[in-house]
Amino acid sequence: MKFICLGYLDESMWQDFSDEEAMQLMEKCFAYDDVLRRGGHFIGGEALASAGQAVTLRKNNGKLKITDGPFSETKEVLGGILLLEARNMQQAIELMSAHPGVGVGPFEIRPADEQIERLIAARQSS
């Protein structure tokens, strides 16, 4: 099964890290990503730029509204995503609970929608 792991963080805390502290944390995260990769669990991932650089699109009564910033104002913002392969949710929890990023902020683990994935695969093959 494919899982999407959404990592959240408090950007003000991240900004308080020294360059050395930030690099040490990133190296720990990269090392654990390598563990996941060797186990066949790491499908991919992306770090996101600051939420301050986000733009949110909404349609209301057929008109597009563009606002600066993330979808909602919260202390913790989406910092990145990790695509994970696991047998089930329990294994996904076990794998992600050891990820160093969990020490910086919460991770939301959500199964990929297999029905939608099949529709996408069918479109790509035609």
Side-chain angles (χ1 to χ4, degrees), residues 21-34 100:
E21 290 171 319
M23 186 53 70
Q24 286 174 355
L25 175 59
M26 292 309 306
E27 287 301 327
K28 288 179 185 176
C29 290
F30 294 152
Y32 189 68
D33 291 348
D34 289 340

Side-chain angles (χ1 to χ4, degrees), residues 31-77:
Y32 189 68
D33 291 348
D34 289 340
V35 169
L36 293 172
R37 195 175 282 109
R38 284 191 300 273
H41 301 289
F42 187 91
I43 299 170
E46 288 293 332
L48 299 175
S50 168
Q53 296 180 38
V55 173
T56 300
L57 307 177
R58 289 183 179 83
K59 272 203 173 175
N60 191 1
N61 294 326
K63 294 189 181 211
L64 182 64
K65 180 180 179 185
I66 303 170
T67 55
D68 292 336
F71 171 69
S72 61
E73 294 292 326
T74 64
K75 187 172 185 175
E76 292 174 333
V77 296

Side-chain angles (χ1 to χ4, degrees), residues 1-5 43 82-86 88-89 92 108-118 120:
M1 292 180 66
K2 188 188 307 182
F3 293 87
I4 291 47
C5 306
I43 299 170
L82 188 147
L83 303 177
L84 185 72
E85 182 70 36
N88 52 38
M89 179 61 85
E108 176 183 340
I109 302 171
R110 201 182 295 184
D113 187 314
E114 293 179 359
Q115 181 180 5
I116 301 295
E117 291 287 314
R118 284 191 296 273
I120 292 168

